[in-house]
Amino acid sequence: MVTRNSVNTYTVPTTANEVTMPAQPAFLGVLSGTDSNVTGNGAAYTVGTNTAFTEIFDQNADFNVNGTFTAPVTGRYMLVVNIQMDNVAAGMTTGVFDIVTSNRTYNVLNLNPLVMIDASTNDLALESNAIADMDTADTAYCSITISGGVGNTVDLETAGTFFCGKLIC
Amino acid sequence: MVTRNSQNTYITTDTNNQVLMPAQPAFLATHGATTGSVTGDGTNYNVIFANEIFDQNSDYNNATGIFTAPVTGRYLLNGAVCYSNLGAAHTSGSTYIYTSNRTYYSSIMNAYAVSTGGLLGFTSGCTADMDAADSALCVALINNGAKTVQVYQSSYFSGVLIC
């Protein structure tokens, strides 16, 4: 059976009652390549600015590959960000990850990246999330700021840098 | 209001309009017991979360640790692996979620440096595109030392079909 509103399919149950919502706003963007030299000496960098995301899926077409998601309707959105960074250098002892929405900024992580980096790969990857109140046409994006270094030498790696979200209610 | 397909309830609402989907694929499993030594020397250990807390639609296999997507869709997956018995040499590690379509490297860090007395929780989460019959599992990896690292009992793995 397919349940419809006046225009389109919005919930699709299978015979086992598993429900998919193929028109529900939902997206997953993965960084398309290494984004080099974006932060390290205090520069606040919006992920997707210099190196675009690749859309894995973008139901309802609300995600821009520059890293900005625009809410199509007022509601509550689950937003998840994962950042993988490389080339954290001496002095870079302060790291801030934010999910920035029009209504508020979610300071999802504060940490000392220098002591956390993987000794084998010199990488650091972390994930965080927020359930955000967003109004129609509000935007959301991810920002990273690493401070204390002598230059903006930190790179973002494609394997572990992604941004995803979904309208949940 | 209750919305039904031809057989069963798939969305229920109560008089306060709270919505449930009791047949929606969703699972939560905990590790249940601390393992023996499973990683530490670069071994990728597929964590088996044996203790099912719930498993709507019966898509999670607690003998293998593998969730199998019953239908093509987007799935919210979260893995949290708590490591114990980390030593000073274990300076590299990752908890990641493997799916048939791609691998999500959500946590990479110097495991010992950020641990508390050799105990460390790593989380990994994603919204994953999965096709029907695709698999997902949570992998624990610690490098650079001896194979002495254990997966602690409080670890868990969860997921839900979200759209």
Side-chain angles (χ1 to χ4, degrees):
Chain A
M1 189 189 85
V2 177
T3 305
R4 296 173 185 275
N5 64 9
S6 59
V7 181
N8 294 308
T9 301
Y10 65 93
T11 64
V12 183
T14 68
T15 54
N17 293 308
E18 302 138 345
V19 178
T20 60
M21 291 178 273
Q24 190 75 342
F27 69 97
L28 168 61
V30 176
L31 199 64
S32 61
T34 300
D35 198 354
S36 300
N37 302 323
V38 299
T39 188
N41 70 349
Y45 180 70
T46 299
V47 184
T49 300
N50 297 338
T51 299
F53 283 90
T54 296
E55 288 182 350
I56 305 302
F57 58 84
D58 186 14
Q59 296 184 178
N60 206 51
D62 303 304
F63 182 67
N64 188 310
V65 293
N66 70 6
T68 300
F69 170 74
T70 302
V73 63
T74 297
R76 320 304 183 187
Y77 291 78
M78 179 75 175
L79 301 171
V80 179
V81 58
N82 202 96
I83 301 285
Q84 181 182 352
M85 65 183 82
D86 193 8
N87 288 336
V88 174
M92 297 180 186
T93 55
T94 302
V96 176
F97 293 9
D98 289 331
I99 297 174
V100 182
T101 71
S102 301
N103 282 337
R104 68 202 80 255
T105 294
Y106 300 84
N107 180 207
V108 291
L109 289 171
N110 283 277
L111 47 85
N112 181 336
L114 193 60
V115 300
M116 297 179 72
I117 55 173
D118 184 300
S120 293
T121 63
N122 202 33
D123 285 358
L124 172 62
L126 295 161
E127 174 264 344
S128 196
N129 57 72
I131 295 176
D133 59 311
M134 299 183 73
D135 306 309
T136 301
D138 277 2
T139 58
Y141 61 88
C142 306
S143 175
I144 177 173
T145 307
I146 304 296
S147 303
V150 296
N152 291 317
T153 59
V154 173
D155 304 335
L156 304 184
E157 300 293 336
T158 181
T161 302
F162 53 88
F163 185 30
C164 50
K166 190 232 170 189
L167 171 62
I168 52 174
C169 61
Chain B
M1 185 191 80
V2 178
T3 306
R4 295 172 185 275
N5 68 6
S6 59
Q7 296 177 351
N8 295 303
T9 302
Y10 69 93
I11 296 177
T12 65
T13 58
D14 66 10
T15 54
N16 293 319
N17 294 309
Q18 298 156 145
V19 177
L20 294 173
M21 292 184 280
Q24 191 74 339
F27 73 97
L28 168 63
T30 63
H31 202 262
T34 301
T35 66
S37 301
V38 295
T39 187
D41 61 347
T43 300
N44 288 276
Y45 176 65
N46 300 340
V47 185
I48 299 171
F49 301 87
N51 185 31
E52 280 186 3
I53 306 302
F54 58 84
D55 186 14
Q56 295 184 176
N57 208 48
S58 301
D59 303 304
Y60 177 72
N61 185 330
N62 68 348
T64 63
I66 295 173
F67 170 74
T68 302
V71 61
T72 297
R74 323 306 185 185
Y75 291 78
L76 180 64
L77 301 171
N78 283 293
V81 175
C82 187
Y83 298 91
S84 59
N85 208 31
L86 287 161
H90 295 125
T91 56
S92 167
S94 177
T95 297
Y96 59 92
I97 292 176
Y98 166 86
T99 71
S100 300
N101 282 337
R102 70 201 77 253
T103 300
Y104 299 86
Y105 292 99
S106 298
S107 298
I108 301 172
M109 64 185 75
N110 184 327
Y112 183 74
V114 297
S115 72
T116 302
L119 193 66
L120 170 68
F122 266 121
T123 61
S124 184
C126 60
T127 301
D129 58 313
M130 298 183 72
D131 306 308
D134 276 2
S135 301
L137 57 90
C138 186
V139 182
L141 169 64
I142 302 294
N143 300 300
N144 294 347
K147 192 173 182 178
T148 57
V149 177
Q150 303 167 337
V151 173
Y152 200 59
Q153 61 187 17
S154 59
S155 304
Y156 64 88
F157 187 30
S158 62
V160 61
L161 170 62
I162 56 172
C163 61

